[in-house]
Amino acid sequence: MSGSGPLARGPEPGTSRPEPGTSRPSVDGGEPRTDGTERFSAREWRILAVCLAAGFTSLLDQSVLNIAVPALGDALSADASQLQWIVAGYSLAFGVALVPGGRLGDVHGRKPFFLAGMALFVAGGVLSSCAQDAWLVVGARLLQGLGAGLVNAQVIGTIQDVFTGAARARALGMYAVTAGIAAALGPPVGGALIAAAGAEPGWRLALLLNLPFALATLVAGSRFLPRPRPSNAQAGLDLPGVALFAGLTVLVMLPFIRSTGYLVYGAGASALAVALVVQQRSRARSGRRPLVHPALTRSAPYARGTAVAMAQFGASLAYGMVLAVFLQGELGLSPMTAALVMLPQAVGMGVTSTFAWRVVRRFGELPVINSGLGLSAVSFLSGGVATLYAGGGALPWILALCQLCAGAATGFTVAPTQAQVLRHAPAEAAGVAGGILQMSQRMAAAVCISAVSGLYLHTSAPATGAPGMREGFWYASLACTAIVTTGLLISALRRRPAPPHAEGHEPLVEPPGKEVAR
C-alpha cells in the first residue's frame, strides 16, 4: 500500500518512488493499484488479521491476569513479593525482548521469530495454569513475557513492511482498536469465569482463556505471514549491544517493580547507558551495523515522537491504575462495577481509532495528535475536579464520562503518533525502531505508575482522622495532566508538516537520494 498527505513515507534505501500518475504492484504481487489508495488487498487483510490476533492475545492475557491475581494468590499461598513478580514480571520480560526481537526480525526475517515467540507464549500459559507453586507461575509469566515481546516486535515490523502512508495509519488504528477490545474484555470475562467456576479452578481457567486465540494465531501466522526475506544478514545481531540494551531495560524497570533501590539501580542504568552509547558508536565507526540504526539516533522527529508516545502511554496507564484503586477503596465499588466504570475508556479508544486515519488525512498528523493530547489532559483534570465536588452517587457516572473522553483522545493520539514515529525509520531497522518505541512506552508506564500511585498513596494518608482518598486522587490527576501536557509541549515543538492533499492528489515526496531521517 502507499499513502498520501503527511503520512507518506520517504523512499527506502535502494528503492525509488513511482512517478506521479503511475502505479506500483500490490504487496501480494497482484494487479497494480493506483498510488495513494488505502484499501487493503486480500493478502494484506490476512496479514493484518494475524497481527491483530497476536496483539489481542497478548493484551487479553495481561488484562485477565489482573482480575485473577487475588484468587491465584489465595490458592497458592503466594506472598506479596511473589504476587508482585507474577504481575510485573510479564511486563519486564516483554520489554527486554522487544529490541533484540526487532533486530532478529530485521536481520533474519520476521516470520520464524513470530512463530517462535507465539510458541513460547503458549508454553508459558500452559505452565502457569497448571502450576502448583507461586514461583513456577513467576517463571511461566517471564517465559510468556519473552514470547509476547518477541511476537510484538515482529507485529510492528510487519506492519512497517507491508503498509505505508495512510494505509499504515489505518492498520495501526485497527491495532489500537484491538488493544481496547482486549483490555475491556479481560476483567469482566475473567471475573465471570472465577465467579462461575470458583476461585481454585477459576483462576486456572482464566489463565487458559487466551490459549485458543494463541493457537489459532500460531496456525494463521504459519500460513499467512510473508515468507522470511532476510535482507540484512550481513549486519549481524550485535550481541554486545543486545546484552547492554537488555541490561539497561532491566535496571530501568526493576526498581519500579520492586519499589526499592532507586539510587543503586539508577547508577547502574546510567553506567550501562554510557557503555551502550560508546559501544554503538565504536561499532558504527568500525563499519559494522550497530543494534540501534544510526538513522534513528540522528532523527529528531523519531526522538520527539517517541517522547510524546511515552508521555501519553505512561499517563494513561497511571491514571487507570489509580482510578481502579480509588473506585474500590473510596467509593466501595465491587471489582466488576469498577471495571464497568472504566469500560468507556476502551470503548472511546476503539471507536475513534477506527476513523483517526481519515481525520489525519483531512487535517494532518500534528493537529490531530495535539488535539488528542489536549483532550486527554482535560479528561484527567476533569476527573480530578469531580472527585473533589461530586457526590458519591453521581461520581461514578461522571468518571465514566471522563473515561470515555480519555479513551477517545487516546484513539486520536496512538496510531497517528506511531505512524509519525515509524515513518522516520529505515526499512532495514523497522523492527528495532518499533521495539524501541514499545520498550520506551513500557519504561514510561513503569515510572509513571510507580510515581503517580506513590503520590496517591502518600496524599491519601489519613489526616485529622479522616481518609483523604479524594484529595489523593486529585493530586494524582494533576500529575497525569502534567505528564500528558509535557507530551503536548514536546509535540508542539515539531515543525508543522505540509498541509494534507485532497484524496487522489499526489503527496509531497522527498527528492531522490535525500535522507529520510535526519
Side-chain angles (χ1 to χ4, degrees), residues 27-55:
V27 175
D28 59 355
E31 292 297 319
R33 288 176 285 114
T34 302
D35 207 42
T37 181
E38 57 280 317
R39 292 192 300 270
F40 299 155
S41 70
R43 182 167 183 263
E44 288 166 342
W45 271 117
R46 290 192 292 267
I47 293 171
L48 181 59
V50 173
C51 294
L52 299 183

mmCIF file of all heavy atoms in Angstrom, residues 27-55:
data_model
loop_
_atom_site.group_PDB
_atom_site.id
_atom_site.type_symbol
_atom_site.label_atom_id
_atom_site.label_comp_id
_atom_site.label_asym_id
_atom_site.label_seq_id
_atom_site.Cartn_x
_atom_site.Cartn_y
_atom_site.Cartn_z
ATOM 1 N N VAL A 27 1.218 -5.515 -2.499
ATOM 2 C CA VAL A 27 2.138 -6.304 -1.705
ATOM 3 C C VAL A 27 2.064 -7.779 -2.047
ATOM 4 O O VAL A 27 3.046 -8.488 -1.986
ATOM 5 C CB VAL A 27 1.846 -6.092 -0.202
ATOM 6 C CG1 VAL A 27 2.690 -6.993 0.652
ATOM 7 C CG2 VAL A 27 2.084 -4.647 0.163
ATOM 8 N N ASP A 28 0.861 -8.231 -2.426
ATOM 9 C CA ASP A 28 0.717 -9.648 -2.698
ATOM 10 C C ASP A 28 1.048 -10.011 -4.130
ATOM 11 O O ASP A 28 0.837 -11.129 -4.566
ATOM 12 C CB ASP A 28 -0.706 -10.121 -2.363
ATOM 13 C CG ASP A 28 -1.764 -9.371 -3.150
ATOM 14 O OD1 ASP A 28 -1.391 -8.431 -3.871
ATOM 15 O OD2 ASP A 28 -2.947 -9.740 -3.034
ATOM 16 N N GLY A 29 1.592 -9.048 -4.861
ATOM 17 C CA GLY A 29 2.016 -9.350 -6.198
ATOM 18 C C GLY A 29 0.880 -9.411 -7.196
ATOM 19 O O GLY A 29 1.049 -9.877 -8.312
ATOM 20 N N GLY A 30 -0.320 -8.944 -6.840
ATOM 21 C CA GLY A 30 -1.459 -8.979 -7.730
ATOM 22 C C GLY A 30 -1.461 -7.804 -8.678
ATOM 23 O O GLY A 30 -0.429 -7.250 -9.038
ATOM 24 N N GLU A 31 -2.682 -7.409 -9.077
ATOM 25 C CA GLU A 31 -2.804 -6.308 -10.011
ATOM 26 C C GLU A 31 -2.299 -5.024 -9.366
ATOM 27 O O GLU A 31 -2.519 -4.790 -8.181
ATOM 28 C CB GLU A 31 -4.263 -6.132 -10.430
ATOM 29 C CG GLU A 31 -4.776 -7.287 -11.279
ATOM 30 C CD GLU A 31 -4.013 -7.399 -12.580
ATOM 31 O OE1 GLU A 31 -3.729 -6.348 -13.193
ATOM 32 O OE2 GLU A 31 -3.675 -8.522 -12.970
ATOM 33 N N PRO A 32 -1.619 -4.178 -10.124
ATOM 34 C CA PRO A 32 -1.160 -2.911 -9.562
ATOM 35 C C PRO A 32 -2.333 -2.015 -9.210
ATOM 36 O O PRO A 32 -3.380 -2.053 -9.843
ATOM 37 C CB PRO A 32 -0.310 -2.312 -10.699
ATOM 38 C CG PRO A 32 -0.809 -2.959 -11.941
ATOM 39 C CD PRO A 32 -1.253 -4.324 -11.532
ATOM 40 N N ARG A 33 -2.127 -1.213 -8.180
ATOM 41 C CA ARG A 33 -3.157 -0.292 -7.736
ATOM 42 C C ARG A 33 -2.612 1.116 -7.764
ATOM 43 O O ARG A 33 -1.423 1.324 -7.571
ATOM 44 C CB ARG A 33 -3.620 -0.654 -6.309
ATOM 45 C CG ARG A 33 -4.438 -1.918 -6.279
ATOM 46 C CD ARG A 33 -4.815 -2.334 -4.864
ATOM 47 N NE ARG A 33 -3.677 -2.906 -4.166
ATOM 48 C CZ ARG A 33 -3.110 -2.335 -3.120
ATOM 49 N NH1 ARG A 33 -3.551 -1.206 -2.667
ATOM 50 N NH2 ARG A 33 -2.098 -2.917 -2.519
ATOM 51 N N THR A 34 -3.465 2.081 -7.966
ATOM 52 C CA THR A 34 -3.016 3.466 -8.053
ATOM 53 C C THR A 34 -2.384 3.902 -6.740
ATOM 54 O O THR A 34 -2.916 3.665 -5.689
ATOM 55 C CB THR A 34 -4.205 4.390 -8.371
ATOM 56 O OG1 THR A 34 -4.784 3.939 -9.602
ATOM 57 C CG2 THR A 34 -3.757 5.827 -8.512
ATOM 58 N N ASP A 35 -1.235 4.560 -6.809
ATOM 59 C CA ASP A 35 -0.561 5.025 -5.600
ATOM 60 C C ASP A 35 -1.440 6.022 -4.872
ATOM 61 O O ASP A 35 -1.968 6.948 -5.466
ATOM 62 C CB ASP A 35 0.768 5.679 -5.975
ATOM 63 C CG ASP A 35 1.768 5.582 -4.859
ATOM 64 O OD1 ASP A 35 1.847 4.509 -4.247
ATOM 65 O OD2 ASP A 35 2.452 6.569 -4.608
ATOM 66 N N GLY A 36 -1.621 5.855 -3.570
ATOM 67 C CA GLY A 36 -2.402 6.779 -2.774
ATOM 68 C C GLY A 36 -3.639 6.154 -2.171
ATOM 69 O O GLY A 36 -4.228 6.741 -1.282
ATOM 70 N N THR A 37 -4.055 4.978 -2.622
ATOM 71 C CA THR A 37 -5.224 4.351 -2.034
ATOM 72 C C THR A 37 -4.866 3.723 -0.701
ATOM 73 O O THR A 37 -3.725 3.345 -0.481
ATOM 74 C CB THR A 37 -5.804 3.275 -2.970
ATOM 75 O OG1 THR A 37 -6.958 2.716 -2.364
ATOM 76 C CG2 THR A 37 -4.808 2.163 -3.204
ATOM 77 N N GLU A 38 -5.859 3.654 0.211
ATOM 78 C CA GLU A 38 -5.609 2.996 1.480
ATOM 79 C C GLU A 38 -6.416 1.710 1.630
ATOM 80 O O GLU A 38 -6.527 1.177 2.710
ATOM 81 C CB GLU A 38 -5.877 3.934 2.651
ATOM 82 C CG GLU A 38 -7.261 4.540 2.730
ATOM 83 C CD GLU A 38 -7.450 5.727 1.812
ATOM 84 O OE1 GLU A 38 -6.559 6.575 1.737
ATOM 85 O OE2 GLU A 38 -8.491 5.760 1.156
ATOM 86 N N ARG A 39 -7.014 1.220 0.539
ATOM 87 C CA ARG A 39 -7.708 -0.060 0.601
ATOM 88 C C ARG A 39 -6.695 -1.187 0.704
ATOM 89 O O ARG A 39 -5.605 -1.119 0.135
ATOM 90 C CB ARG A 39 -8.595 -0.262 -0.634
ATOM 91 C CG ARG A 39 -9.784 0.686 -0.695
ATOM 92 C CD ARG A 39 -10.757 0.231 -1.780
ATOM 93 N NE ARG A 39 -10.111 0.207 -3.087
ATOM 94 C CZ ARG A 39 -10.080 1.238 -3.910
ATOM 95 N NH1 ARG A 39 -10.629 2.388 -3.561
ATOM 96 N NH2 ARG A 39 -9.505 1.138 -5.083
ATOM 97 N N PHE A 40 -7.068 -2.240 1.431
ATOM 98 C CA PHE A 40 -6.189 -3.385 1.620
ATOM 99 C C PHE A 40 -6.549 -4.475 0.629
ATOM 100 O O PHE A 40 -7.730 -4.722 0.347
ATOM 101 C CB PHE A 40 -6.342 -3.962 3.039
ATOM 102 C CG PHE A 40 -5.998 -2.999 4.149
ATOM 103 C CD1 PHE A 40 -6.552 -3.157 5.405
ATOM 104 C CD2 PHE A 40 -5.125 -1.947 3.932
ATOM 105 C CE1 PHE A 40 -6.248 -2.276 6.428
ATOM 106 C CE2 PHE A 40 -4.813 -1.069 4.945
ATOM 107 C CZ PHE A 40 -5.379 -1.225 6.195
ATOM 108 N N SER A 41 -5.518 -5.145 0.119
ATOM 109 C CA SER A 41 -5.758 -6.320 -0.711
ATOM 110 C C SER A 41 -6.133 -7.494 0.192
ATOM 111 O O SER A 41 -6.008 -7.434 1.418
ATOM 112 C CB SER A 41 -4.502 -6.663 -1.507
ATOM 113 O OG SER A 41 -3.492 -7.159 -0.638
ATOM 114 N N ALA A 42 -6.573 -8.594 -0.431
ATOM 115 C CA ALA A 42 -6.971 -9.771 0.352
ATOM 116 C C ALA A 42 -5.799 -10.285 1.172
ATOM 117 O O ALA A 42 -5.953 -10.664 2.343
ATOM 118 C CB ALA A 42 -7.498 -10.864 -0.583
ATOM 119 N N ARG A 43 -4.619 -10.311 0.588
ATOM 120 C CA ARG A 43 -3.453 -10.816 1.322
ATOM 121 C C ARG A 43 -3.081 -9.880 2.459
ATOM 122 O O ARG A 43 -2.706 -10.313 3.545
ATOM 123 C CB ARG A 43 -2.275 -10.984 0.370
ATOM 124 C CG ARG A 43 -1.023 -11.552 1.055
ATOM 125 C CD ARG A 43 0.014 -11.991 0.049
ATOM 126 N NE ARG A 43 1.163 -12.601 0.697
ATOM 127 C CZ ARG A 43 2.292 -11.954 0.974
ATOM 128 N NH1 ARG A 43 2.405 -10.672 0.656
ATOM 129 N NH2 ARG A 43 3.301 -12.561 1.551
ATOM 130 N N GLU A 44 -3.181 -8.599 2.222
ATOM 131 C CA GLU A 44 -2.885 -7.640 3.289
ATOM 132 C C GLU A 44 -3.875 -7.784 4.447
ATOM 133 O O GLU A 44 -3.490 -7.666 5.612
ATOM 134 C CB GLU A 44 -2.912 -6.216 2.716
ATOM 135 C CG GLU A 44 -1.721 -5.923 1.815
ATOM 136 C CD GLU A 44 -1.903 -4.670 0.991
ATOM 137 O OE1 GLU A 44 -3.048 -4.199 0.845
ATOM 138 O OE2 GLU A 44 -0.900 -4.157 0.475
ATOM 139 N N TRP A 45 -5.135 -8.027 4.118
ATOM 140 C CA TRP A 45 -6.123 -8.263 5.175
ATOM 141 C C TRP A 45 -5.733 -9.480 6.010
ATOM 142 O O TRP A 45 -5.864 -9.460 7.237
ATOM 143 C CB TRP A 45 -7.512 -8.469 4.578
ATOM 144 C CG TRP A 45 -8.308 -7.217 4.381
ATOM 145 C CD1 TRP A 45 -8.758 -6.700 3.209
ATOM 146 C CD2 TRP A 45 -8.757 -6.311 5.400
ATOM 147 N NE1 TRP A 45 -9.447 -5.533 3.427
ATOM 148 C CE2 TRP A 45 -9.483 -5.270 4.757
ATOM 149 C CE3 TRP A 45 -8.614 -6.272 6.789
ATOM 150 C CZ2 TRP A 45 -10.052 -4.223 5.462
ATOM 151 C CZ3 TRP A 45 -9.193 -5.230 7.489
ATOM 152 C CH2 TRP A 45 -9.898 -4.213 6.839
ATOM 153 N N ARG A 46 -5.276 -10.539 5.355
ATOM 154 C CA ARG A 46 -4.905 -11.756 6.099
ATOM 155 C C ARG A 46 -3.698 -11.490 6.992
ATOM 156 O O ARG A 46 -3.664 -11.937 8.148
ATOM 157 C CB ARG A 46 -4.627 -12.895 5.113
ATOM 158 C CG ARG A 46 -5.867 -13.423 4.405
ATOM 159 C CD ARG A 46 -5.580 -14.721 3.682
ATOM 160 N NE ARG A 46 -4.690 -14.543 2.554
ATOM 161 C CZ ARG A 46 -5.094 -14.327 1.303
ATOM 162 N NH1 ARG A 46 -6.390 -14.245 1.024
ATOM 163 N NH2 ARG A 46 -4.217 -14.193 0.326
ATOM 164 N N ILE A 47 -2.715 -10.787 6.454
ATOM 165 C CA ILE A 47 -1.531 -10.462 7.261
ATOM 166 C C ILE A 47 -1.917 -9.596 8.446
ATOM 167 O O ILE A 47 -1.487 -9.823 9.585
ATOM 168 C CB ILE A 47 -0.472 -9.763 6.384
ATOM 169 C CG1 ILE A 47 0.078 -10.734 5.336
ATOM 170 C CG2 ILE A 47 0.672 -9.215 7.243
ATOM 171 C CD1 ILE A 47 0.966 -10.059 4.303
ATOM 172 N N LEU A 48 -2.745 -8.583 8.197
ATOM 173 C CA LEU A 48 -3.167 -7.694 9.277
ATOM 174 C C LEU A 48 -3.971 -8.455 10.330
ATOM 175 O O LEU A 48 -3.830 -8.207 11.531
ATOM 176 C CB LEU A 48 -3.994 -6.536 8.711
ATOM 177 C CG LEU A 48 -4.495 -5.504 9.724
ATOM 178 C CD1 LEU A 48 -3.337 -4.861 10.465
ATOM 179 C CD2 LEU A 48 -5.336 -4.430 9.030
ATOM 180 N N ALA A 49 -4.813 -9.390 9.883
ATOM 181 C CA ALA A 49 -5.603 -10.177 10.829
ATOM 182 C C ALA A 49 -4.702 -10.970 11.772
ATOM 183 O O ALA A 49 -4.982 -11.081 12.976
ATOM 184 C CB ALA A 49 -6.536 -11.120 10.069
ATOM 185 N N VAL A 50 -3.606 -11.514 11.262
ATOM 186 C CA VAL A 50 -2.660 -12.237 12.111
ATOM 187 C C VAL A 50 -2.029 -11.288 13.127
ATOM 188 O O VAL A 50 -1.903 -11.609 14.315
ATOM 189 C CB VAL A 50 -1.578 -12.920 11.256
ATOM 190 C CG1 VAL A 50 -0.501 -13.537 12.146
ATOM 191 C CG2 VAL A 50 -2.197 -13.991 10.368
ATOM 192 N N CYS A 51 -1.648 -10.101 12.672
ATOM 193 C CA CYS A 51 -1.040 -9.115 13.582
ATOM 194 C C CYS A 51 -2.030 -8.690 14.670
ATOM 195 O O CYS A 51 -1.661 -8.578 15.849
ATOM 196 C CB CYS A 51 -0.577 -7.899 12.790
ATOM 197 S SG CYS A 51 0.783 -8.212 11.641
ATOM 198 N N LEU A 52 -3.279 -8.460 14.284
ATOM 199 C CA LEU A 52 -4.286 -8.061 15.260
ATOM 200 C C LEU A 52 -4.564 -9.183 16.256
ATOM 201 O O LEU A 52 -4.744 -8.940 17.451
ATOM 202 C CB LEU A 52 -5.581 -7.660 14.553
ATOM 203 C CG LEU A 52 -5.509 -6.477 13.582
ATOM 204 C CD1 LEU A 52 -6.889 -6.170 13.022
ATOM 205 C CD2 LEU A 52 -4.915 -5.248 14.251
ATOM 206 N N ALA A 53 -4.595 -10.426 15.761
ATOM 207 C CA ALA A 53 -4.830 -11.561 16.651
ATOM 208 C C ALA A 53 -3.705 -11.696 17.669
ATOM 209 O O ALA A 53 -3.948 -12.009 18.842
ATOM 210 C CB ALA A 53 -4.959 -12.843 15.833
ATOM 211 N N ALA A 54 -2.469 -11.455 17.237
ATOM 212 C CA ALA A 54 -1.336 -11.538 18.162
ATOM 213 C C ALA A 54 -1.442 -10.464 19.238
ATOM 214 O O ALA A 54 -1.222 -10.734 20.430
ATOM 215 C CB ALA A 54 -0.026 -11.388 17.391
ATOM 216 N N GLY A 55 -1.774 -9.234 18.844
ATOM 217 C CA GLY A 55 -1.934 -8.181 19.830
ATOM 218 C C GLY A 55 -3.081 -8.448 20.779
ATOM 219 O O GLY A 55 -2.959 -8.245 21.992
#
